[in-house]
Amino acid sequence: MHESTTLTGRPPSASRLTLSQIMDQHHTNLMGTVHGGRILNLIDSVAGVVAARHSDGPAVTAAIDETAFLRAVRVGDVVHVDARITWAGRSSMEVAVKVSADRWDRAVPPVDVATAHLVMVAVDDDGQPRAVPPLLPETDGDRRRYREAQIRREHRLALRRALLDGAEEG
């Protein structure tokens, strides 16, 4: 990883983003609902923007985990993809994404339809990891999400070590 000067920390609110899009018939699967892959595409795209904003440059997806599809999305639903940084390390960041939906033609409260956590890595022009600013949680909720992200990170690293150890044995 390329070394750089000390970066000024940023709060999650500095890069948080919500994208809304109406789902149409081009987004459907064979069941007549919106394809899960379309939702994953939106999740990944919005997480990438949030990570790029936090790190002041490009970031790539290293992992998508804990994705849960809670309800089906239908044609005519307005999907809202809300993403925020929950943790930042040397070059990687965790982005939490919540997806909700409501109807385009009715004033109804949105319902949660999916959640995900992504690990994004900031990269330089040569595609090598680069330093990212530290995350400065502002609220109790930010601090809770930061602690939870650290736990997920520890689990991901432990799983990776176990899988690598198993690959060497087999």
Side-chain angles (χ1 to χ4, degrees):
M1 180 171 103
H2 299 287
E3 294 300 317
S4 68
T5 59
T6 303
L7 299 170
T8 303
R10 295 187 177 147
S13 61
S15 58
R16 186 174 177 180
L17 177 68
T18 300
L19 171 77
S20 298
Q21 182 176 354
I22 299 172
M23 296 291 104
D24 64 29
Q25 67 275 12
H26 295 96
H27 301 123
T28 59
N29 58 27
L30 296 175
M31 299 294 295
T33 57
V34 173
H35 197 286
R38 178 64 186 139
I39 302 300
L40 283 172
N41 178 266
L42 291 170
I43 288 170
D44 190 38
S45 295
V46 174
V49 172
V50 168
R53 285 180 173 186
H54 181 79
S55 68
D56 280 332
V60 296
T61 307
I64 300 177
D65 64 13
E66 298 189 31
T67 302
F69 293 99
L70 308 171
R71 290 183 180 82
V73 177
R74 302 168 295 157
V75 169
D77 282 352
V78 180
V79 170
H80 311 279
V81 184
D82 182 66
R84 69 175 78 211
I85 299 285
T86 54
W87 180 88
R90 286 186 308 267
S91 63
S92 64
M93 301 154 276
E94 184 189 83
V95 180
V97 181
K98 181 177 125 181
V99 183
S100 60
D102 53 29
R103 295 300 293 168
W104 72 274
D105 60 349
R106 286 185 225 127
V108 295
V111 295
D112 292 343
V113 297
T115 62
H117 292 93
L118 294 84
V119 177
M120 310 297 290
V121 175
V123 294
D124 63 17
D125 292 339
D126 296 321
Q128 297 301 306
R130 61 181 175 79
V132 302
L135 186 68
L136 302 176
E138 299 172 292
T139 68
D140 288 343
D142 290 343
R143 287 183 278 280
R144 177 186 49 79
R145 284 185 283 275
Y146 187 90
R147 286 190 306 274
E148 292 168 353
Q150 287 178 305
I151 293 167
R152 283 187 293 275
R153 180 176 187 272
E154 290 168 11
H155 284 217
R156 281 189 293 267
L157 293 174
L159 176 61
R160 182 178 183 199
R161 282 190 299 272
L163 291 173
L164 289 173
D165 289 346
E168 292 172 1
E169 295 171 5

